[in-house]
């Protein structure tokens, strides 16, 4: 009968020997080990088996026992749970915004998104503008902190009214302008007012800045000034964010009369109006002038971006403000990001000063008219149960009301299973939505054939009765 203590002692001796040996080196034979240490064959066999179980040696029948190859230590998974306590409860929820930026899988038709399809973007014009821009002598020098003078002058002329280049700050796209405005104009924890529904990226940016968004209803003519006044009185808010032209997602355009009323309400409340003029170049018909051109008191902070009409990567926008608010906005940008990269600003100057710019706007507006008509006709013919809010004079989207009782999430999921992406209405509301909605984008598809295919795929989903258990 073998002695367990002898096995333990021999295993320890052999373990030390393997540590001194090189990987692949052969251990002494069992007979030699027995002779050296005065143990029996069972003890040797058990000791070697223990080392093999530890991964220190490998046995090769007929060849012997060899030191195992060096093992890399398995890194212990880091424990990052402490960060949960350190970060606190200021969660930044990017899910809604990220869903609008996501690229569709192959074979799936996108009826959602916030930019022009690549086929509609002025790629050649932008490439030519960029090539000219980088050849400018100062292209890689530091720009003025508030932006290139010629670019600020151009933004001021586009906005119109009494706006001058001194009122304009060049920022890195419309989303950056929103984030900057929220942080500069409202303190963390304070309320702000937003239209309901509204752009999800604005809701996310406001929440990330620690602000509390309160909803103000709108109708087919835009936000209701009477309810805006009531909301200012109830919340004490000092900021109202809105999209008065081709509102996202409904397509509503605030009438000139209502624009004047909104300004009067905001002035009475001592509040700022952040005017997101994202759709300036997407209108197919006449729209009222920007509210900032009607404002003589520094109430309006106006945002005009080039990304929607050109390319998502042309992250250049003009942020117009006056008075102490303008100073604070400029100071916040310098502290947060210094300035917008000069080559990008130079490219924007080159492009908007070229004949390709106006030609591109004309092409896009014409395409928007055709695509919107195709979408509206397809819905009326194939999915009459889906009620279109209105047919806006341009823009990228159509806002659709589904029959009461419809499971909105199930519609979106079923549509995706059928190979078409749509945007759920719930992400556009700062509070509980009034019912099931969808936002349908007509400019994300590659062309009319793909847009029509998307409508064909979606129509059976929208035509089902809401009481049916399966979509």
């Amino acid at each position: 009968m073998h002695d367990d203590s002898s096995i333990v002692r021999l295993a320890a001796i052999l373990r030390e020997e393997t540590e001194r040996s090189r990987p692949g080196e052969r251990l002494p034979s069992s007979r030699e080990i027995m002779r050296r240490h005065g143990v029996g064959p069972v003890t040797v066999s058990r000791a070697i088996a223990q080392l093999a179980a530890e991964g220190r040696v490998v046995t090769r029948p007929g060849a012997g026992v060899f030191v195992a190859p060096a093992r890399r230590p398995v890194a212990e998974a880091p424990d990052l749970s402490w960060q949960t306590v350190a970060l606190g409860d200021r969660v930044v929820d990017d899910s809604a915004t990220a869903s609008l930026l996501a690229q569709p899988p192959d074979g799936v038709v996108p009826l959602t998104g916030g930019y022009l399809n690549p086929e509609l973007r002025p790629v050649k014009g932008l490439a030519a503008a960029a090539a000219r821009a980088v050849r400018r002598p100062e292209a890689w020098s530091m720009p003025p902190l508030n932006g290139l003078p010629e670019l600020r002058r151009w933004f001021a002329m586009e906005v119109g009214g009494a706006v001058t280049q001194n009122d304009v700050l060049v920022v890195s796209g419309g989303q950056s302008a929103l984030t900057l405005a929220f942080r500069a104009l409202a303190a963390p924890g304070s309320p702000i007012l937003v239209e309901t529904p509204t752009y999800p990226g604005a809701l996310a940016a406001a929440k990330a800045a620690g602000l509390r968004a309160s909803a103000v209803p709108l109708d087919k003519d835009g936000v209701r000034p009477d309810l805006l006044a009531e909301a200012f009185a109830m919340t004490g808010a000092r900021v109202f964010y809105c999209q008065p032209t081709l509102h996202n997602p409904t397509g509503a355009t605030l009438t000139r009369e209502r624009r004047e009323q909104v300004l009067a309400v905001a002035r009475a409340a001592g509040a700022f109006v952040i005017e997101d003029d994202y759709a300036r170049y997407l209108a197919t018909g006449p729209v009222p002038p920007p509210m900032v051109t009607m404002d003589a008191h520094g109430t309006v902070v106006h945002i005009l971006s080039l990304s929607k009409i050109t390319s998502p990567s042309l992250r250049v926008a003009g942020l117009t403000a006056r008075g102490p608010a303008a100073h604070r906005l400029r100071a916040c940008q310098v502290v947060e990001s210094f300035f917008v990269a000069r080559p990008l600003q130079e490219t924007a100057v080159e492009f908007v000063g070229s004949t390709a710019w106006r030609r591109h706007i004309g092409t896009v507006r014409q395409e928007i008219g055709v695509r919107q008509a195709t979408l509206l006709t397809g819905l009326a013919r194939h999915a009459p149960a889906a009620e279109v809010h209105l047919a806006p004079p341009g823009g990228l989207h159509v806002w659709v009301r589904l029959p009461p009782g419809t499971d909105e999430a199930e519609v979106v999921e079923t549509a995706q299973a059928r190979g078409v992406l749509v945007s759920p209405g719930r992400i556009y509301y700062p509070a509980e939505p009034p019912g099931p909605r969808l936002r349908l984008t007509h400019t994300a598809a590659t062309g009319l054939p793909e847009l029509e295919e998307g409508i064909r795929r979606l129509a059976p989903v929208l035509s089902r009765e809401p009481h049916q258990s399966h979509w």
Side-chain angles (χ1 to χ4, degrees):
M1 187 174 179
H2 65 274
D3 186 349
D4 287 343
S5 61
S6 298
I7 297 172
V8 172
R9 286 195 299 271
L10 180 59
I13 294 169
L14 295 179
R15 191 178 292 113
E16 291 179 4
E17 192 168 329
T18 60
E19 291 174 354
R20 293 193 301 267
S21 303
R22 295 188 301 274
E25 190 172 334
R26 187 175 182 276
L27 265 61
S29 67
S30 295
R31 188 182 299 276
E32 179 61 22
I33 294 173
M34 291 165 56
R35 187 189 64 78
R36 287 184 188 179
H37 302 288
V39 293
V42 175
T43 300
V44 174
S45 176
R46 295 288 179 85
I48 289 176
Q50 185 171 329
L51 266 60
E54 295 172 4
R56 297 178 181 272
V57 299
V58 292
T59 58
R60 298 173 187 167
V65 180
F66 299 84
V67 178
R71 294 182 302 171
R72 293 182 180 177
V74 179
E76 209 175 291
D79 181 7
L80 305 179
S81 58
W82 65 271
Q83 293 187 358
T84 302
V85 177
L87 288 171
D89 59 359
R90 280 189 58 188
V91 177
V92 178
D93 184 5
D94 68 338
S95 56
T97 309
S99 69
L100 299 176
L101 298 174
Q103 296 298 308
D106 291 341
V108 175
V109 178
L111 294 185
T112 184
Y115 297 101
L116 301 176
N117 181 274
E119 297 294 324
L120 296 176
R121 298 170 193 167
V123 176
K124 291 183 179 178
L126 288 173
R132 295 192 301 270
V134 296
R135 289 197 296 268
R136 290 188 172 199
E138 301 297 319
W140 296 98
S141 301
M142 189 174 78
L145 297 182
N146 56 350
L148 297 180
E150 56 266 51
L151 186 54
R152 289 187 286 115
R153 184 163 52 251
W154 180 85
F155 272 119
M157 291 175 61
E158 289 294 295
V159 174
V163 174
T164 71
Q165 71 177 65
N166 294 328
D167 301 325
V168 178
L169 172 67
V170 176
V171 296
S172 182
Q175 187 67 21
S176 177
L178 275 181
T179 300
L180 187 65
F182 286 149
R183 291 181 177 175
L185 303 178
S190 61
I192 65 165
L193 303 182
V194 300
E195 298 158 311
T196 185
T198 191
Y199 166 50
L203 295 176
K207 186 174 181 180
L211 307 178
R212 295 180 287 109
S214 294
V216 184
L218 48 74
D219 56 26
K220 292 185 179 182
D221 292 321
V223 70
R224 291 180 49 182
D226 57 331
L227 297 181
L228 179 64
E230 184 177 339
F232 273 128
M234 288 182 61
T235 64
R238 291 294 180 265
V239 173
F240 170 51
Y241 165 76
C242 63
Q243 294 179 314
T245 300
L246 297 171
H247 168 263
N248 179 16
T250 67
T253 293
L254 199 63
T255 63
R256 185 183 182 103
E257 180 183 7
R258 282 201 182 182
R259 292 179 189 227
E260 292 172 347
Q261 292 172 350
V262 166
L263 286 177
V265 169
R267 284 198 297 270
F272 291 102
V273 174
I274 299 176
E275 181 181 15
D276 186 355
D277 202 5
Y278 86 99
R280 159 64 65 88
Y281 303 111
L282 305 173
T284 56
V287 293
M291 286 195 292
V292 69
T293 63
M294 308 173 184
D295 171 33
H297 304 278
T299 299
V300 178
V301 173
H302 179 269
I303 299 169
L304 179 60
S305 173
L306 291 175
S307 303
K308 294 290 185 187
I309 186 62
T310 58
S311 165
S313 287
L314 190 63
R315 309 301 302 166
V316 176
L319 183 59
T320 298
R322 285 166 287 179
H327 176 78
R328 180 171 293 185
L329 287 162
R330 293 186 180 104
C332 286
Q333 165 150 295
V334 170
V335 169
E336 291 182 6
S337 59
F338 294 169
F339 48 80
V340 177
R342 184 160 189 158
L344 203 57
Q345 293 192 55
E346 298 278 11
T347 297
V349 169
E350 287 284 349
F351 183 66
V352 298
S354 69
T355 56
W357 164 241
R358 288 296 166 187
R359 187 167 61 247
H360 169 65
I361 292 177
T363 300
V364 169
R365 285 176 173 167
Q366 183 177 8
E367 186 72 14
I368 284 174
V370 173
R371 285 170 175 253
Q372 185 188 90
T374 299
L375 177 58
L376 293 175
T377 301
L379 290 173
R381 180 180 303 158
H382 301 295
E387 179 186 345
V388 175
H389 179 71
L390 57 83
L396 306 177
H397 322 288
V398 170
W399 187 239
V400 174
R401 177 184 299 177
L402 303 179
T406 301
D407 188 328
E408 178 187 294
E410 193 171 359
V411 168
V412 173
E413 184 179 342
T414 305
Q416 184 169 356
R418 293 182 62 90
V420 59
L421 293 182
V422 295
S423 187
R426 66 182 180 278
I427 67 175
Y428 298 88
Y429 290 93
E432 294 82 1
R437 306 284 191 276
L438 294 180
R439 192 194 73 172
L440 304 180
T441 304
H442 49 70
T443 51
T446 301
L448 287 183
E450 186 177 52
L451 176 59
E452 290 168 345
E453 175 61 22
I455 297 169
R456 282 193 292 270
R457 294 180 185 182
L458 179 62
V461 183
L462 299 184
S463 300
R464 300 290 181 88
E465 291 296 330
H467 66 267
Q468 290 184 246
S469 58
H470 298 290
W471 285 77

